[in-house]
Amino acid sequence: MAEAAVKQTPTDAMIATLDMPQGGWSDAARRDALARVQTMGLPGRRDEYWKYTRPDTLVQAQALPAALRDGDDTVLFDTVDRLKIVFVDGVFDAEASDDLSLDGITIERLADATSDLHWARDVYGVLENNGQNPVPRPLAALNTAFAADGVLIHVTGKPSKPVNIIYRRTSTTADAMLHNCIKLDAGAEMTLLENGPVAARFNGVLEVEVADKAAFHHVRAQGRDHEQRAATHIFTRLGAESTFKSFTLTANGVMTRNDCVIELTGDDANATVAGACVGDGGDFHHDDTVFITHDAVNCESRQVFKKVLRNGATGVFQGKILVKAGAQKTDGYQISQSLLLDEDSQFLAKPELEIYADDVACSHGSTSGAIDEDALFYLRSRGVPHGAATDLLTLAFLAEAVLEVEDEALREEVTARLASWLERHAA
Amino acid sequence: MLSIKGLKVKLEDEDKQILKGVDLEIEAGKVHAIMGPNGSGKSTLSYVLSGKDGYEVTGGSATLEGVDLLDMEPEDRAAAGLFLAFQYPVEIPGVGNMTFLRTAVNAQRKSRGEEEMTAAEFLKVVRARAKELKIDAEMLKRPVNVGFSGGEKKRNEILQMAMLEPKMCILDETDSGLDVDAMKLVAEGVNALRTEGRGFLVITHYQRLLDHIKPDVVHIMADGRIIKTGGPELALEVENNGYADILAEVA
Ligand SMILES: Nc1ncnc2c1ncn2[C@@H]1O[C@H](COP(=O)(O)OP(=O)(O)O)[C@@H](O)[C@H]1O
Ligand SMILES: [Mg+2]
């Protein structure tokens, strides 16, 4: 019990700094989440689920400041026709955003959606709460309780263009919590793009309800500010014959923990979560934590994570596939690989399978390796300089994850961003 | 063109001398062949010339048009005009053959202060050259050498050579693993590149490649040395009698 007493303190300290929005449809969910986070306590160093990642800077009451990044300001997804929603220091900026109306989709700001009856009532905090079992994710519950801003997106059809949430920073100290909810009706489809640094410290939750035969595509780039910290969570539930595809690009940031919790509840559904991460320096720490539950027949899930680590950077992968009894004909694929560009960098991986059905094909693999010297020499012998040859091989290593982005234009933008990062971070 | 004098090479990590004093002078416009039993040091010579790690030069020199090769990075040797067609071409998953070729061509041009080729220009040239070597468009799109048959890999080496237009070409057992038709194709590719300004060193241990690529000079290498040098007839002698006679004669 002594441990619980120690853990309560940071949780209370954190809660004391936060204001809960009052009233309206989300009120009950927020109060419930507050009670849950008080019971769970924020993660501590001794939590098994935080074995490889120190939660300290994510749970301390005061966020550490993070310098703004200067340098090239190319905007990702600029070549794509999209509906832009802009947040500055974690606050919606109507001026900078496009008109939010688009056929087939309804977009509202969380802070403005105050009516008593709202579709989001069935999603907000609901998927997050589902995802607390069997492993608690207290930072997500904290977010449900206190997030004051975010977007609510109801997809009823097939909007003509992607929705792009763009995050910008102007403050070195902003500590932001955003909660986004998306509901795709049966047969609906959307692409969500997210890019840019949210805040010095960011706690994000994205809940996505994907109804039967609906399809959700997600491409996210987490901003390139070196000192930023982020704990993000995706919770999704998939209906029959639906598709969920999420890809995350992480370049820089001292501390990133990305949780993704996927529940396949309808037959013949298909979920992919992938990530490409590039990190440079002993301060860089990046953690992908995935939990996929197969609870229906003939579903497929893919986890494809690639990390390039240099100069003492650390990468973590925790990925679990849980196949429930009756989830026959499950096809689960998981791969996590790191390319260590020097001996100081490290990759810690914990792949897990837990299977209660007998007609199942699941595979997982995790590797850490260096640049292939034979390939490097082959390229150099053709006149490609050492640096460019290394970059070419590094991009090739990342390509398997990037290939999970279905749209070619988006894939090219992601690849170009990775290539320019590699150029700036020459070996 | 290529001048090798008293070249001695040992393994970096092991106390094993592989080249024990190699002398070789290859003039522009000429084709030299090196033949020799397995393990005599032929591939080592080609690797040391092109700058592979793992070898230590313990004596002698190697220059290309008077420029010391042994001090240069592999990419600089390539830009200076040296090319090695590998005995075992390397597979590189994730790197498209086209991207690879274009990156290589433009990197060399850039380092020589020449203008880079545009994508359109490059495509035109590569298609024409690939066609001559019966390399189809599909193969160009695939990752470098991945899933290529032995013959496809060797043809891909010659395609690279044709695109890079080196001054000095070293071919290490380019005939191994090729059937007669594939060998003819490769030989035609090589012969098409024979010009006054270009030197060739063809490493092989069969005479049959030399039926198609007619050498001016043939050297026999054994145990890290060139033990005999002669005209094309030397290759025939090896074909008919094997290496035993020559080895005995020298010993
Ligand atoms: N990297 C290496 N490590 C260990 N032994 C090597 C290495 N490279 C060459 N050798 C040895 O050096 C000798 C010459 O090899 P090689 O140059 O490949 O001969 P060839 O090409 O004439 O068959 C052989 O005994 C071979 O085993
Ligand atoms: Mg050899």
Side-chain angles (χ1 to χ4, degrees):
Chain A
M1 283 295 101
E3 194 187 335
V6 172
K7 274 177 77 172
Q8 256 348 75
T9 320
T11 307
D12 290 339
M14 170 72 98
I15 288 170
T17 67
L18 298 167
D19 290 318
M20 189 191 288
Q22 300 294 317
W25 59 271
S26 65
D27 203 58
R30 290 178 185 278
R31 284 173 198 286
D32 174 66
L34 175 61
R36 288 189 282 116
V37 78
Q38 280 169 330
T39 311
M40 287 184 253
L42 290 177
R45 236 182 253 180
R46 264 172 286 176
D47 275 291
E48 187 62 22
Y49 215 46
W50 290 80
K51 191 172 168 183
Y52 305 118
T53 298
R54 278 191 164 199
D56 310 36
T57 56
L58 298 172
V59 303
Q60 69 193 44
Q62 278 296 312
L64 294 171
L68 301 173
R69 177 180 173 279
D70 48 26
D72 90 285
D73 264 331
T74 51
V75 179
L76 209 59
F77 310 135
D78 236 9
T79 62
V80 179
D81 180 27
R82 70 233 200 262
L83 187 148
K84 298 192 284 292
I85 303 175
V86 178
F87 283 81
V88 179
D89 297 321
V91 179
F92 176 69
D93 183 337
E95 287 274 290
S97 301
D98 290 339
D99 174 14
L100 299 186
S101 49
L102 183 65
D103 271 356
I105 194 166
T106 311
I107 305 171
E108 282 172 276
R109 181 185 179 187
L110 173 63
D112 292 341
T114 50
S115 67
D116 265 351
L117 281 172
H118 199 282
W119 62 261
R121 195 180 206 137
D122 298 331
V123 180
Y124 190 92
V126 174
L127 299 188
E128 173 263 301
N129 190 17
N130 270 352
Q132 297 288 354
N133 236 319
V135 195
R137 298 165 208 276
L139 283 166
L142 185 78
N143 180 300
T144 296
F146 292 102
D149 221 335
V151 288
L152 306 172
I153 299 178
H154 186 190
V155 194
T156 51
K158 296 179 179 174
S160 58
K161 55 186 172 186
V163 172
N164 185 187
I165 307 179
I166 298 168
Y167 304 105
R168 293 190 189 134
R169 284 184 67 206
T170 61
S171 143
T172 55
T173 55
D175 186 10
M177 230 182 253
L178 293 174
H179 196 116
N180 299 322
C181 278
I182 299 178
K183 182 181 178 192
L184 292 106
D185 287 350
E189 278 175 24
M190 90 163 287
T191 297
L192 174 69
L193 309 175
E194 292 184 90
N195 63 290
V198 184
R201 182 169 70 179
F202 173 48
N203 175 337
V205 168
L206 169 65
E207 291 173 295
V208 189
E209 177 88 75
V210 191
D212 296 354
K213 295 189 168 131
F216 178 72
H217 292 267
H218 181 216
V219 180
R220 160 170 80 158
Q222 299 193 281
R224 291 171 291 171
D225 290 17
H226 291 280
E227 294 170 4
Q228 67 182 3
R229 294 181 159 77
T232 76
H233 316 79
I234 296 172
F235 297 97
T236 187
R237 186 161 62 190
L238 276 76
E241 293 173 55
S242 67
T243 299
F244 171 92
K245 277 197 148 200
S246 175
F247 172 87
T248 299
L249 164 66
T250 311
N252 307 338
V254 277
M255 166 60 68
T256 307
R257 161 84 169 223
N258 293 327
D259 278 34
C260 183
V261 184
I262 297 172
E263 204 186 350
L264 296 138
T265 61
D267 296 348
D268 307 303
N270 200 307
T272 299
V273 53
C277 147
V278 287
D280 191 348
D283 290 339
F284 180 90
H285 187 102
H286 183 271
D287 176 339
D288 282 304
T289 291
V290 179
F291 198 109
I292 298 184
T293 305
H294 281 262
D295 196 11
V297 174
N298 200 33
C299 291
E300 189 188 339
S301 69
R302 292 174 64 77
Q303 301 169 57
V304 183
F305 288 91
K306 298 265 187 165
K307 297 183 205 291
V308 173
L309 304 165
R310 73 174 5 144
N311 291 323
T314 301
V316 174
F317 174 79
Q318 305 188 98
K320 179 158 183 172
I321 304 174
L322 169 64
V323 182
K324 290 200 172 171
Q328 301 297 7
K329 306 229 180 312
T330 286
D331 183 354
Y333 175 77
Q334 178 195 86
I335 187 149
S336 65
Q337 295 182 312
S338 73
L339 180 62
L340 305 177
L341 294 178
D342 52 65
E343 281 165 12
D344 301 328
S345 300
Q346 60 170 343
F347 178 57
L348 306 160
K350 190 181 175 196
E352 282 181 284
L353 295 175
E354 196 177 325
I355 301 174
Y356 298 102
D358 47 24
D359 184 11
V360 169
C362 281
S363 68
H364 66 95
S366 183
T367 62
S368 274
I371 286 276
D372 178 346
E373 288 296 329
D374 288 335
L376 187 64
F377 174 64
Y378 190 66
L379 291 171
R380 295 178 73 192
S381 79
R382 299 306 183 237
V384 184
H386 187 278
T390 306
D391 289 357
L392 207 54
L393 294 173
T394 306
L395 275 181
F397 166 79
L398 292 166
E400 193 187 344
V402 178
L403 267 176
E404 299 296 330
V405 176
E406 229 172 69
D407 184 271
E408 193 178 340
L410 295 175
R411 209 161 55 224
E412 274 169 17
E413 290 228 24
V414 167
T415 302
R417 164 98 6 145
L418 287 165
S420 75
W421 188 93
L422 292 172
E423 248 167 59
R424 284 196 308 277
H425 294 254
Chain B
M1 162 111 342
L2 180 65
S3 173
I4 302 169
K5 294 202 170 81
L7 188 63
K8 291 186 179 144
V9 171
K10 69 179 272 292
L11 289 178
E12 208 170 54
D13 299 334
E14 252 177 81
D15 213 12
K16 183 172 175 186
Q17 196 73 30
I18 300 174
L19 299 185
K20 301 173 178 171
V22 173
D23 292 282
L24 202 59
E25 203 69 46
I26 298 171
E27 311 78 14
K30 296 285 195 258
V31 175
H32 285 231
I34 295 190
M35 303 180 76
N38 264 330
S40 55
K42 305 182 297 295
S43 290
T44 301
L45 176 64
S46 72
Y47 283 146
V48 169
L49 290 173
S50 47
K52 194 175 181 182
D53 279 344
Y55 302 99
E56 190 185 325
V57 176
T58 54
S61 67
T63 58
L64 183 67
E65 293 186 311
V67 182
D68 181 7
L69 279 178
L70 301 178
D71 261 356
M72 296 165 97
E73 297 296 333
E75 54 268 37
D76 298 329
R77 301 181 196 205
L82 186 75
F83 180 90
L84 167 64
F86 282 54
Q87 179 171 3
Y88 304 107
V90 180
E91 299 187 3
I92 314 183
V95 177
N97 213 12
M98 278 293 230
T99 309
F100 161 61
L101 272 170
R102 194 151 86 88
T103 307
V105 167
N106 281 336
Q108 290 203 15
R109 287 182 168 230
K110 200 172 155 191
S111 112
R112 290 194 293 256
E114 299 164 15
E115 198 149 327
E116 295 186 22
M117 257 178 154
T118 65
E121 253 180 287
F122 176 80
L123 204 63
K124 215 176 115 190
V125 180
V126 82
R127 281 199 179 132
R129 300 264 154 92
K131 202 173 160 197
E132 286 160 17
L133 289 159
K134 296 213 162 72
I135 291 174
D136 59 33
E138 192 48 42
M139 230 174 100
L140 289 174
K141 277 192 222 145
R142 296 212 306 252
V144 179
N145 293 326
V146 177
F148 287 26
S149 70
E152 285 174 335
K153 283 181 182 167
K154 297 301 173 79
R155 276 185 278 152
N156 200 28
E157 294 293 289
I158 303 305
L159 175 65
Q160 291 166 43
M161 190 166 90
M163 292 304 298
L164 293 168
E165 301 181 328
K167 291 177 187 156
M168 179 66 221
C169 308
I170 305 174
L171 285 80
D172 190 1
E173 308 237 4
T174 299
D175 51 340
S176 65
L178 296 188
D179 59 30
V180 179
D181 290 338
M183 191 163 66
K184 274 190 189 154
L185 262 175
V186 163
E188 277 166 26
V190 172
N191 289 331
L193 290 168
R194 284 178 81 157
T195 59
E196 265 176 37
R198 191 169 280 142
F200 285 87
L201 178 61
V202 179
I203 298 171
T204 178
H205 58 237
Y206 299 109
Q207 198 268 337
R208 52 174 205 168
L209 179 67
L210 303 178
D211 286 342
H212 302 281
I213 306 173
K214 296 258 188 298
D216 299 293
V217 185
V218 175
H219 309 271
I220 307 296
M221 190 169 193
D223 193 24
R225 286 191 186 87
I226 305 276
I227 56 162
K228 190 167 183 181
T229 296
E233 73 286 349
L234 193 52
L236 282 171
E237 192 185 323
V238 168
E239 176 78 0
N240 295 330
N241 308 330
Y243 292 109
D245 288 1
I246 298 171
L247 290 174
E249 181 186 314
V250 174

